[in-house]
Amino acid sequence: MEKKKVTLVIPMYYEEKVADECYKRVKENLVKLENYEHEIIFVNDGSKDKTLEILEDIAKEDENVKIISFSRNFGHQAAVTAGLQYVSGDAIIIMDADLQDPPELIPDMLKLWEEGNEVIYGKRKSREGESAFKLFTAKMFYKTLNALSDVEIPKDTGDFRLVDRKVVETINSLPEHNKFLRGLFSWVGYKQYPFEYERKERFAGETKYPLKKMLKLASDGIISFSTKPLKLVGALGIFSIVISVIILIYALLSYAFSWNNLSAGWTSIMVAITFFSGIQLMSIWIIAEYVGRIYDETKRRPQYIVDKKINL
Ligand code: UDP
Ligand code: MG
């Protein structure tokens, strides 16, 4: 029987404390697979610490280890997107470097793939060692995303998943530059399978997802999967028109029946002006977010720049 091949795609940003252990644990689990060849693609997302050096040393010893190194930090999604461009396996596993996604699950995921599932996505049963703040923001993120989005994006899933080569090729062929992968993997369809697992604590080092990056990921996710915020602008408009009509009727009635003296209406005017200009500015802001992204896409600049490739 001809051997199948499994490819791992692992992004790394300032992961010098984790890189060796990550390779060791992943490799251990890959060599145990009798019916599979393997390759590991590490993507160095512009780390300026020793991450790349460590990876280069590993790649010297192991030709199945391949490295793509970016010219600067382009972000986690860009790093995974880049890795997907270079895969040669039949089944592709995307995994974080920090061992929060246990490599010990690789055989189980492959089994599900052999049974004909095409996207096996990790669903976090529990999340060890993550702050209450992180859990709360993650929950809000999936709630908002699903309320606004036109495709169902399963909650408690990250980017940890096994995907069939066919699905990766579909994703690679999509023309958009700024890819929000966990949304796209759901959007493309195919045979999906939720795979429950315990998310472990980060092996070492700090999270590379500060609030700023989380917010960017969240707005990318919402904006690339929904135009509902734009429609919200319309709803706000209607809402403010209704309010102003009510105020108008109230004012006319006041004059007619001289309920009170409206010339002392400084407060109401100020409230109305600030309220409605607030709504307008907010609406423009929502539109601007879309226009900005349209601008980014039309520039046709690449999502990342590869500085160096090793064993590829
Ligand atoms: N990562 C990356 N580029 C970035 C931020 C993160 O390649 O700009 C990688 C990081 O090295 C890790 C994965 O993305 O392999 C997930 O990041 P992290 O574990 O810090 O996020 P968290 O698990 O805290 O959400
Ligand atoms: Mg992590």
Side-chain angles (χ1 to χ4, degrees):
M1 196 183 80
E2 214 194 304
K3 279 192 173 183
K4 297 264 188 206
K5 186 169 183 180
V6 52
T7 299
L8 268 88
V9 175
I10 305 177
M12 289 207 179
Y13 182 53
Y14 283 91
E15 301 287 14
E16 61 181 12
K17 290 190 186 145
V18 163
D20 271 319
E21 181 71 14
C22 173
Y23 168 70
K24 212 183 99 212
R25 286 261 302 276
V26 167
K27 188 75 183 180
E28 238 168 52
N29 285 284
L30 288 174
V31 290
K32 274 192 233 153
L33 301 167
E34 280 168 13
N35 302 324
Y36 288 92
E37 296 175 53
H38 62 260
E39 70 177 345
I40 308 171
I41 303 180
F42 289 113
V43 185
N44 172 38
D45 185 9
S47 325
K48 293 204 172 67
D49 61 353
K50 296 216 168 62
T51 306
L52 184 59
E53 276 171 53
I54 297 171
L55 293 179
E56 281 176 336
D57 286 344
I58 296 171
K60 259 180 232 150
E61 306 281 309
D62 184 347
E63 59 173 14
N64 294 322
V65 170
K66 299 166 185 186
I67 303 173
I68 302 166
S69 185
F70 286 175
S71 62
R72 64 165 170 86
N73 179 235
F74 282 93
H76 174 222
Q77 297 290 301
V80 177
T81 306
L84 294 180
Q85 298 284 333
Y86 293 92
V87 299
S88 66
D90 304 288
I92 292 92
I93 296 175
I94 301 167
M95 179 181 274
D96 284 355
D98 58 7
L99 298 167
Q100 285 195 281
D101 310 325
E104 287 68 35
L105 299 175
I106 295 172
D108 298 344
M109 293 174 103
L110 282 168
K111 203 164 284 152
L112 288 163
W113 175 69
E114 285 162 10
E115 286 164 12
N117 297 295
E118 288 157 319
V119 179
I120 296 131
Y121 59 91
K123 200 164 165 14
R124 296 158 184 175
K125 216 164 27 175
S126 66
R127 295 158 68 120
E128 283 173 26
E130 290 191 285
S131 65
F133 176 72
K134 177 108 189 180
L135 295 180
F136 175 74
T137 45
K139 197 168 159 202
M140 289 310 293
F141 169 58
Y142 286 106
K143 269 226 158 84
T144 324
L145 191 59
N146 273 322
L148 292 174
S149 157
D150 307 321
V151 246
E152 184 70 20
I153 296 170
K155 73 168 193 308
D156 289 330
T157 61
D159 285 308
F160 182 37
R161 65 190 70 222
L162 183 152
V163 268
D164 191 276
R165 173 65 170 272
K166 174 171 85 178
V167 183
V168 169
E169 270 161 22
T170 310
I171 296 279
N172 287 347
S173 73
L174 298 176
E176 67 198 84
H177 278 203
N178 229 327
K179 291 188 177 135
F180 179 64
L181 292 168
R182 52 191 92 161
L184 288 174
F185 278 121
S186 166
W187 176 85
V188 292
Y190 295 107
K191 214 160 165 233
Q192 305 256 345
Y193 188 96
F195 176 83
E196 292 211 330
Y197 75 108
E198 316 260 347
R199 190 154 160 93
K200 296 277 182 275
E201 216 165 319
R202 180 176 249 283
F203 173 70
E206 297 285 297
T207 176
K208 304 300 175 310
Y209 256 99
L211 184 63
K212 197 173 142 212
K213 277 191 179 164
M214 279 203 282
L215 287 176
K216 181 170 183 310
L217 182 73
S219 67
D220 277 348
I222 291 167
I223 286 178
S224 62
F225 277 90
S226 168
T227 50
K228 275 185 199 147
L230 284 174
K231 291 168 191 146
L232 186 72
V233 171
L236 284 175
I238 292 171
F239 172 68
S240 53
I241 288 169
V242 169
I243 299 233
S244 58
V245 167
I246 292 172
I247 291 174
L248 181 70
I249 294 172
Y250 172 72
L252 289 176
L253 291 175
S254 298
Y255 281 124
F257 302 106
S258 36
W259 283 339
N260 53 32
N261 186 359
L262 272 188
S263 63
W266 187 85
T267 323
S268 56
I269 287 175
M270 287 310 283
V271 168
I273 288 176
T274 50
F275 181 71
F276 295 118
S277 41
I279 287 189
Q280 283 169 10
L281 288 175
M282 206 179 107
S283 310
I284 292 171
W285 168 53
I286 294 177
I287 295 167
E289 287 283 328
Y290 283 87
V291 175
R293 276 170 180 73
I294 296 169
Y295 180 55
D296 273 348
E297 289 284 331
T298 53
K299 277 188 290 193
R300 309 265 79 193
R301 268 187 208 151
Q303 194 187 359
Y304 52 84
I305 296 167
V306 176
D307 172 37
K308 207 169 179 189
K309 284 187 265 183
I310 295 163
N311 290 347
L312 275 167

